[in-house]
């Protein structure tokens, strides 16, 4: 396919990029994105406050979570009943965990083997140490080829390195062609979920976005119409783009193959129509054999969306045509540091299914723009400090309530709860405890002081509880406007907070102890109270 002349590309903007840019330059698009309240560069407190007041977000997530749990359970049960216990969730995830552990342990060997096989098939492999290194390679490739329009399939690795912003700041238009990704891009947002980028939006919001972007009325209720509009908008972009960028779900070392799973046909168009195809993938995507990749396929869609498998499972070995180029950018960006850490290297098993987000109670309240940085969910809390620095993960990690639900559904058995606690420990080491927490822990270290504070608190809370066992927003009245109570009032607006007990637990314990003879040690934990 002949490369379009770069001088005329912006003079004849096709619908998708015209809807994205409108009267804005690519540089202005970057500014709009960074100004969005949900953008990860915004303060964590601002993102959290925005999410807590977004009733559409909470409604959408609450509808999804129960359906996902039921679908996931059903599809794994059907697989086990049809093919036996060898295909149970427990056995499959043990197999994949072992395969991923082996790949992590022998990463240098597999990397060399994958590179050799991919280059033998005609691909060009580049190892990028940092995000800047990866972005610069892709930008310089665009410069050499005279490319001004890039179409993208869904790739979280490109979000990790902020490729779109890097290209747009330098005058190159990057268009997301995944349905959800494009809607998010039109709203100048990041994906809020690793698999379903606009899970936080309703169909009515999508219709409004498309109406505003295209300049014509689009149905707020008919999802089929919305999908048809997006297909039409993107069609010419596929044909005129000079570069297609995709991610990878696995890199198969034994023959240099890239595995990509999608639910939309855009992935295959992006990887086959433009004259230059660039794959961006972390080194953690390496697997030794096709058999390992098949095990991952059996777990990925079922864990991510509750499907038996995705609509498209694509295997790419070398360029799609003799006159086309394929570049594979293997990204490190903190992964070597994770691999060198005996504990955190377990996180490199992740297959980006987002099951840990789907089951997470805090995520269902605030979504991925607050519960994460770029990678969302429990795994996002773990990997963010390595990819983007500890400061980026300091706020989001505080949302974890240590319920351990994420570990039960992880298809590669990552010990997510303990890793999040390790991140929390590192945050406290660097930033120190929040002053209020420090005061509380100091009081708890002095039983008499804690007991006095609890007694005073049980009396002082009466205007907020009206003698009940809960603190509820309707009890506050004008008190909710006071600076030192506003935070409590905001929390009580969406949940009932437990009131302090009128009688300390220790009192009941002493009375009970006077009635019985203890024959074994009694251990009371904070969670028992």
């Amino acid at each position: 396919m002949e490369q379009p002349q770069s001088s005329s590309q912006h003079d004849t903007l096709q619908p998708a990029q015209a809807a994205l840019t409108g009267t804005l330059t690519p540089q202005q698009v970057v500014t709009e994105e960074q100004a969005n309240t949900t953008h990860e560069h915004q303060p964590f407190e601002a993102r959290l406050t925005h999410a807590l007041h977004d009733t559409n977000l909470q409604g959408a997530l609450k509808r999804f979570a129960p359906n996902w749990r039921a679908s996931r359970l059903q599809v794994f049960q059907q697989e086990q009943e049809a093919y036996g216990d060898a295909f149970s969730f427990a056995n499959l995830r043990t197999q994949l965990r072992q395969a991923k552990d082996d790949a992590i342990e022998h990463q240098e060997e597999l990397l060399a083997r994958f590179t050799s096989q991919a280059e033998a098939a005609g691909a060009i492999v580049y190892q990028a140490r940092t995000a800047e290194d990866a972005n610069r390679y892709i930008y310089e490739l665009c410069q050499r080829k005279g490319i001004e329009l890039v179409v993208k399939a869904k790739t979280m690795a490109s979000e990790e390195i902020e490729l779109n912003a890097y290209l747009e700041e330098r005058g190159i238009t990057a268009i997301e062609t995944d349905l959800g990704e494009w809607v998010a891009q039109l709203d100048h947002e990041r994906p809020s979920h690793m698999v379903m980028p606009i899970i936080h939006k309703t169909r009515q919001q999508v219709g409004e976005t498309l109406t505003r972007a295209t300049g014509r009325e689009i149905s707020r209720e008919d999802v089929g119409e919305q999908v048809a509009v997006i297909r039409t908008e993107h069609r010419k972009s596929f044909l005129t783009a000079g570069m297609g960028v995709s991610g990878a779900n696995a890199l198969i070392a034994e023959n240099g193959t890239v595995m990509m799973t999608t639910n939309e046909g855009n992935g295959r168009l992006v990887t086959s129509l433009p004259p230059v195809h660039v794959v961006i993938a972390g080194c953690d995507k390496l697997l030794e054999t096709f058999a390992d990749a098949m095990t991952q396929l059996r777990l990925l869609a079922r864990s991510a969306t509750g499907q038996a498998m995705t609509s498209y499972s694509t295997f790419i070995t070398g360029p799609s045509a003799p006159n086309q180029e394929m570049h594979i950018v293997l990204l490190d960006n903190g992964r070597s540091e994770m691999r060198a850490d005996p504990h955190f290297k377990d996180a490199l098993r992740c297959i980006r299914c987002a099951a840990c987000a789907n089951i997470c109670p805090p995520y269902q309240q605030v979504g991925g723009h607050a519960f994460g940085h770029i990678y969302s969910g429990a795994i996002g809390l773990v990997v963010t400090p390595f990819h983007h620095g500890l400061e980026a993960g300091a706020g989001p990690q505080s949302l974890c309530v240590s319920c351990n639900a994420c570990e039960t559904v992880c298809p590669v058995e990552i010990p997510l709860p303990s890793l999040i606690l390790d991140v929390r420990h590192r945050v406290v080491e660097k930033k120190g405890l929040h002053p209020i927490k420090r005061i509380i822990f100091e009081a708890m270290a002095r039983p008499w002081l804690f007991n006095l504070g609890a007694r005073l608190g049980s009396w002082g809370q009466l205007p907020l509880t009206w003698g009940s066992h809960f603190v509820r927003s309707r009890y506050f009245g004008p008190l909710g406007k006071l600076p030192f109570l506003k935070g409590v009032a905001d929390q009580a607006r969406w949940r009932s907070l437990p009131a302090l007990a009128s009688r300390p637990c220790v009192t009941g314990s002493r009375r009970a102890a006077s009635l019985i003879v203890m024959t074994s040690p009694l251990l009371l934990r904070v969670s028992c109270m």
Side-chain angles (χ1 to χ4, degrees):
M1 182 179 296
E2 192 172 322
Q3 170 66 34
Q5 293 298 314
S6 61
S7 60
S8 64
Q9 283 184 347
H10 282 292
D11 296 332
T12 58
L13 281 174
Q14 301 303 333
Q17 58 264 38
L20 174 66
T21 57
T23 58
L24 300 178
T25 65
Q27 294 85 350
Q28 289 172 325
V29 170
V30 176
T31 302
E32 291 287 332
E33 289 173 351
Q34 294 179 349
N36 192 297
T37 311
T38 65
H39 195 275
E40 69 275 0
H41 291 172
Q42 295 293 324
F44 168 71
E45 292 75 13
R47 288 183 281 136
L48 179 60
T49 300
H50 175 82
L52 287 172
H53 289 85
D54 189 340
T55 55
N56 279 328
L57 176 150
Q58 292 159 12
L61 292 175
K62 285 178 182 177
R63 286 191 295 272
F64 167 76
N67 293 333
W68 170 80
R69 284 194 292 267
S71 297
R72 173 187 171 278
L73 181 62
Q74 181 181 29
V75 74
F76 276 118
Q77 285 179 339
Q78 290 175 342
E79 178 84 356
Q80 186 174 353
E81 290 170 1
Y83 300 107
D85 291 342
F87 292 88
S88 68
F89 172 69
N91 281 334
L92 286 172
R93 78 168 179 170
T94 297
Q95 291 176 34
L96 186 56
R97 172 184 174 166
Q98 292 171 349
K100 294 291 285 187
D101 282 345
D102 287 344
I104 294 167
E105 187 68 26
H106 302 97
Q107 180 176 298
E108 291 90 349
E109 175 189 332
L110 293 182
L111 187 59
R113 187 177 177 190
F114 175 84
T115 300
S116 174
Q117 294 293 328
E119 289 177 343
I124 299 168
V125 180
Y126 180 76
Q127 295 185 35
R129 177 70 181 173
T130 65
E132 170 65 26
D133 192 8
N135 284 331
R136 184 175 60 251
Y137 178 85
I138 296 169
Y139 171 64
E140 290 175 353
L141 181 59
C142 288
Q143 279 190 311
R144 292 198 305 271
K145 300 293 181 179
I147 295 169
E148 293 186 4
L149 176 61
V150 175
V151 289
K152 295 177 65 212
K154 189 175 184 306
T155 158
M156 285 304 300
S158 76
E159 297 287 348
E160 175 189 330
I161 65 176
E162 301 187 72
L163 175 64
N164 288 9
Y166 191 95
L167 295 179
E168 286 163 353
E169 286 172 348
R170 291 156 180 78
I172 296 173
T173 301
I175 300 294
E176 300 287 352
T177 64
D178 176 89
L179 187 153
E181 290 269 2
W182 192 56
V183 172
Q185 190 179 28
L186 290 175
D187 277 339
H188 305 297
E189 290 184 348
R190 289 281 193 191
S192 69
H193 189 279
M194 290 189 290
V195 176
M196 294 160 282
I198 54 170
I199 190 175
H200 61 291
K201 290 185 180 295
T202 64
R203 63 181 180 276
Q204 292 82 10
Q205 289 176 299
V206 172
E208 290 172 7
T209 297
L210 294 177
T211 296
R212 183 178 65 253
T214 61
R216 60 185 188 275
E217 190 63 29
I218 307 298
S219 172
R220 267 66 163 181
E221 300 295 334
D222 189 344
V223 176
E225 179 183 334
Q226 295 172 2
V227 172
V229 167
I230 293 173
R231 284 176 177 165
T232 301
E233 294 293 317
H234 281 303
R235 191 162 291 138
K236 291 184 179 179
S237 293
F238 286 125
L239 296 172
T240 57
M243 176 184 289
V245 174
S246 74
N249 293 96
L251 303 171
I252 305 172
E254 70 177 354
N255 65 345
T257 295
V258 173
M259 183 179 82
M260 181 179 68
T261 62
T262 61
N263 276 322
E264 301 173 31
N266 67 305
R268 291 183 174 179
L269 294 173
V270 163
T271 59
S272 61
L273 289 179
V276 178
H277 172 211
V278 175
V279 178
I280 310 173
C283 299
D284 51 312
K285 296 298 179 72
L286 283 165
L287 286 172
E288 183 175 2
T289 67
F290 256 98
D292 295 335
M294 293 306 100
T295 302
Q296 180 170 320
L297 276 183
R298 290 186 178 276
L299 284 162
L300 181 56
R302 294 163 194 175
S303 297
T305 58
Q307 297 171 265
M309 65 185 303
T310 52
S311 301
Y312 301 92
S313 297
T314 306
F315 298 85
I316 306 169
T317 309
S320 60
N323 61 337
Q324 295 183 333
E325 293 182 15
M326 180 182 186
H327 297 251
I328 303 174
V329 178
L330 298 177
L331 181 64
D332 189 307
N333 197 35
R335 288 164 174 81
S336 291
E337 288 76 11
M338 292 176 68
R339 183 169 174 263
D341 190 303
H343 198 189
F344 279 92
K345 73 176 183 179
D346 290 344
L348 292 173
R349 299 181 202 139
C350 179
I351 60 173
R352 303 293 190 259
C353 68
C356 58
N358 296 346
I359 202 169
C360 176
Y363 180 92
Q364 291 167 29
Q365 293 296 329
V366 301
H369 292 140
F371 200 87
H373 183 67
I374 288 176
Y375 291 112
S376 57
I379 190 64
L381 305 186
V382 173
V383 303
T384 291
F386 291 91
H387 298 326
H388 303 104
L390 190 62
E391 185 64 33
Q397 62 79 28
S398 67
L399 297 178
C400 176
V401 296
S402 298
C403 68
N404 294 2
C406 50
E407 188 171 8
T408 66
V409 297
C410 177
V412 283
E413 297 185 282
I414 299 173
L416 290 164
S418 64
L419 293 179
I420 293 170
L421 289 178
D422 281 358
V423 171
R424 185 167 295 171
H425 179 73
R426 294 184 181 194
V427 170
V428 172
E429 277 189 332
K430 181 177 181 180
K431 299 168 66 71
L433 275 174
H434 190 282
I436 294 178
K437 287 186 177 181
R438 186 181 296 109
I439 292 171
I440 293 173
F441 287 145
E442 288 289 342
M444 292 179 72
R446 297 167 175 81
W448 67 269
L449 182 59
F450 182 79
N451 188 40
L452 176 61
R455 288 180 183 274
L456 292 175
S458 67
W459 298 331
Q461 72 183 352
L462 290 175
L464 308 180
T465 63
W466 293 10
S468 74
H469 296 299
F470 295 98
V471 178
R472 294 191 171 99
S473 60
R474 66 174 179 266
Y475 297 154
F476 278 76
L479 294 176
K481 297 181 180 179
L482 296 175
F484 59 91
L485 287 178
K486 188 176 184 304
V488 180
D490 287 342
Q491 290 294 312
R493 193 168 287 121
W494 61 280
R495 60 178 175 175
S496 296
L497 301 173
L500 292 171
S502 58
R503 189 178 69 184
C505 177
V506 67
T507 302
S509 298
R510 286 171 180 166
R511 290 179 180 176
S514 67
L515 298 177
I516 61 174
V517 177
M518 298 298 295
T519 58
S520 60
L522 175 66
L523 176 64
L524 288 179
R525 298 183 183 275
V526 174
S527 58
C528 301
M529 305 303 181

